[in-house]
Amino acid sequence: MSKVVTFARSTDYLHHRAQQNRREGRMLDALDLMRRVLEREPGNVEYQMDLAELLCEMDQCAQSNNVLLRVLSGDTPMNECHFGMCCNFLGLHDGAAAYSAMLRYLTGEPDAIVREEVQITLASLVQPQSNYSGRRERRAQVLFAKAQALLKSGATDEGARMLARSLAQDPDAQLPRALLALCLLMKRERKAAVQQMNMALATGKADVRTRSIAVQVYGHAGHFGQMRRQLDHLRKMPLDADERRMLIHALSELKQHRMVSDLISASLRQAPYDSWLLHRKAVSLINLGKSADEARRYWAQIVRLDPDDTIAQWYQSLAQSGQLDNAHMDYAYQVTAEERDHRIAQMDEMLQLEEDGIREMTQSRKTQNLIRWALLTGDPGISGRAFELIHFMQTQSAEQMLRELLLVPDIEHRFKIAALAELMERDANRPILMLAPDGRLCDALSDEPEPMELMPAPKRVLGIVARAQQQATHKSASLVESMWMDFVMQSGEHMPRIRRPQGWAAALMARRLKLADDPGAVRLIVEVFGCTERMMRYCLRRLDRVLKDGNDAGKEDTNEAD
């Protein structure tokens, strides 16, 4: 009898039960068991890979990537992680990152190209051929892509101007004109927005995305008859998951709570573990006057999917305490301004402690989840406090948080540079993977030669320095990298355009080795790096000014904070 009890409590048995639940479709039960398994054996790579695969199947692609990051940065990294990340990025609709991950996988395992699942994944990465054949249409397509990137980054005015340029090349394009109408609406130019929307719909049969934007534009402009007509068209059209989400967002903005609730119910039948949908379903029930307990179970499911989700935890606690009865809530997946201020105050209190006190506080999981939330807000003030606190964390979870931040597409690049600098200071294991501004997945500190034309300009500077140092057998690579990261981060929006990376690389080397006053050394440096002395001197002055000013500003900020 004792043997049966021992087996029932063993890690292998829990893993077996998890896999059985997974095969039978009881995914949440399988997820709970897999997490219990890893609590007992956190370093087991096989169990971690199984957890990553399970999360991917449940469309928890970001969480799955975080598990794969732990494996890649561990003692026994597996190249198979890159294939898993490729699948996750596809699930996140990030084609550029998926393509980069697949290249990494095939570089390490070229024979895998014959595997069926690899071929299927590669086929899904192939971009469809453009339907545009004329020069003007191709030009319009390029301008539209730039406009979308600007709008995604929050640059509404610049995006609107780029959309107008695209429409000048192709006036009949529906979607660019619909997006221009949305931009005008955001600027409160309602009459102009409606005119642009009418023109977009008049050019021909509109697709789901154009009609979803039309619902939003007409609704906010008060043209409810036209809004209802577009909704009638959409009800007759077959919608895929992404199109349904787009319509849900438009109706959420218009506070059409009943329609939102019904659409989400249909979507949850296809994607029952989608946190975005689960949160909005809970909010729609609250806004419809349903009981808070009915809404609470949706937030409880999000917490079960991600036990570290402090936003869902907070809403769940409000529902349990009855504070959401008869409330009217916004659909955005974020805490209220009052709760945000409370969390900021908590971090400020910790920062007033002595170093030992901060280290002790950051050992708790509750504090670590607070820091993780702060890092992901993208708010400079909040994220800055998180970076101050994480510096005192001596646990592996701090390094993991920073690694996760590097893979969040919507986080500003300067925060990723700050996370990268902290990882360098901690001498973290490589690879340190990061999503570049162009969407590619790259190793931020790669020792492997990368084609220069594929590198972002600031990274080309470091590449040139690295080559010169290899030739000179110099050992100061990390110090030069730190100097350059400081310059990039402190320059911020005023970062100069890197037209001649050779000059910047030479200036970095001269500044690092303090050879700027030695004419012979300067001649040697510019010869090695292939630039003029004038260019090197110019770049050196820029480096000196920014780094000196940045250090002085940092001292002033510190004194002011104290």
Side-chain angles (χ1 to χ4, degrees), residues 268-308:
L268 284 172
R269 286 194 285 272
Q270 299 176 1
Y273 310 114
D274 190 316
S275 298
W276 189 89
L277 291 172
L278 290 168
H279 171 73
R280 278 165 173 72
K281 179 64 178 179
V283 173
S284 69
L285 291 173
I286 295 292
N287 288 333
L288 286 169
K290 304 293 184 181
S291 71
D293 192 60
E294 188 178 350
R296 182 191 60 80
R297 65 188 182 92
Y298 290 98
W299 284 309
Q301 184 156 325
I302 296 175
V303 173
R304 196 173 172 188
L305 288 165
D306 184 2
D308 297 327

Side-chain angles (χ1 to χ4, degrees), residues 39 80 107 123 156 180 219 237 280 314 347 364 370 377 384 487:
E39 284 176 4
E80 191 75 21
T107 300
T156 307
L180 180 58
M237 299 172 73
R280 278 165 173 72
W314 182 69
M347 290 189 287
S364 74
L370 174 64
T377 59
F487 174 73

Side-chain angles (χ1 to χ4, degrees), residues 275-533:
S275 298
W276 189 89
L277 291 172
L278 290 168
H279 171 73
R280 278 165 173 72
K281 179 64 178 179
V283 173
S284 69
L285 291 173
I286 295 292
N287 288 333
L288 286 169
K290 304 293 184 181
S291 71
D293 192 60
E294 188 178 350
R296 182 191 60 80
R297 65 188 182 92
Y298 290 98
W299 284 309
Q301 184 156 325
I302 296 175
V303 173
R304 196 173 172 188
L305 288 165
D306 184 2
D308 297 327
D309 190 324
T310 61
I311 298 177
Q313 289 172 2
W314 182 69
Y315 280 116
Q316 186 183 9
S317 67
L318 289 182
Q320 285 175 327
S321 62
Q323 296 183 53
L324 295 182
D325 295 333
N326 303 316
H328 294 282
M329 296 178 58
D330 189 83
Y331 283 91
Y333 196 37
Q334 59 191 20
V335 297
T336 61
E338 183 180 1
E339 172 63 13
R340 186 187 66 240
D341 292 342
H342 172 67
R343 295 185 178 193
I344 292 173
Q346 284 183 293
M347 290 189 287
D348 286 340
E349 287 177 11
M350 280 187 277
L351 289 170
Q352 297 301 317
L353 300 174
E354 299 291 335
E355 289 189 13
D356 291 341
I358 298 176
R359 288 195 177 92
E360 184 179 351
M361 289 288 292
T362 55
Q363 295 296 315
S364 74
R365 183 170 178 176
K366 182 178 179 181
T367 301
Q368 291 173 12
N369 287 341
L370 174 64
I371 294 172
R372 181 180 284 106
W373 166 82
L375 284 173
L376 297 177
T377 59
D379 182 287
I382 299 175
S383 296
R385 289 172 170 86
F387 277 113
E388 286 186 64
L389 288 170
I390 208 169
H391 185 73
F392 294 98
M393 288 178 62
Q394 301 300 318
T395 61
Q396 285 294 320
S397 57
E399 185 177 310
Q400 178 66 14
M401 278 186 214
L402 295 167
R403 289 180 183 275
E404 292 172 9
L405 181 70
L406 295 176
L407 286 193
V408 180
D410 297 330
I411 293 294
E412 287 186 46
H413 200 60
R414 58 182 171 137
F415 293 129
K416 294 185 178 182
I417 295 298
L420 183 58
E422 181 70 27
L423 285 168
M424 289 169 59
E425 187 173 335
R426 290 171 178 265
D427 197 22
N429 290 342
R430 299 187 183 188
I432 297 178
L433 299 176
M434 179 171 67
L435 283 181
D438 59 2
R440 292 182 305 107
L441 179 71
C442 63
D443 188 342
L445 300 175
S446 177
D447 290 327
E448 300 176 3
E450 184 176 358
M452 278 289 178
E453 64 275 7
L454 297 181
M455 291 185 183
K459 193 175 177 184
R460 287 204 297 272
V461 174
L462 290 181
I464 294 168
V465 173
R467 289 185 182 182
Q469 288 180 154
Q470 287 171 7
Q471 294 171 4
T473 64
H474 202 274
K475 301 294 184 182
S476 61
S478 61
L479 294 171
V480 173
E481 285 180 358
S482 297
M483 185 191 302
W484 182 244
M485 296 303 177
D486 285 344
F487 174 73
V488 172
M489 186 166 56
Q490 291 178 26
S491 296
E493 297 178 355
H494 303 292
M495 177 70 186
R497 184 176 296 178
I498 308 295
R499 291 190 177 92
R500 298 180 180 85
Q502 294 84 356
W504 290 97
L508 272 174
M509 183 63 76
R511 193 176 196 275
R512 168 68 190 93
L513 300 179
K514 301 178 181 178
L515 296 176
D517 296 328
D518 185 339
V522 167
R523 283 195 296 271
L524 180 59
I525 288 173
V526 298
E527 182 180 342
V528 168
F529 286 96
C531 67
T532 64
E533 182 177 344

Side-chain angles (χ1 to χ4, degrees), residues 43-98:
N44 189 306
V45 173
E46 179 188 347
Y47 293 161
Q48 291 184 72
M49 295 297 288
D50 285 341
L51 175 60
E53 191 172 347
L54 174 61
L55 287 167
C56 181
E57 290 176 5
M58 297 175 73
D59 293 325
Q60 301 296 303
C61 299
Q63 281 198 71
S64 178
N65 268 344
N66 294 340
V67 175
L68 295 172
L69 279 176
R70 281 197 292 271
V71 177
L72 279 171
S73 61
D75 297 329
T76 54
M78 295 180 63
N79 187 49
E80 191 75 21
C81 292
H82 293 121
F83 179 72
M85 295 183 86
C86 172
C87 297
N88 286 324
F89 282 124
L90 279 176
L92 294 167
H93 307 288
D94 198 335

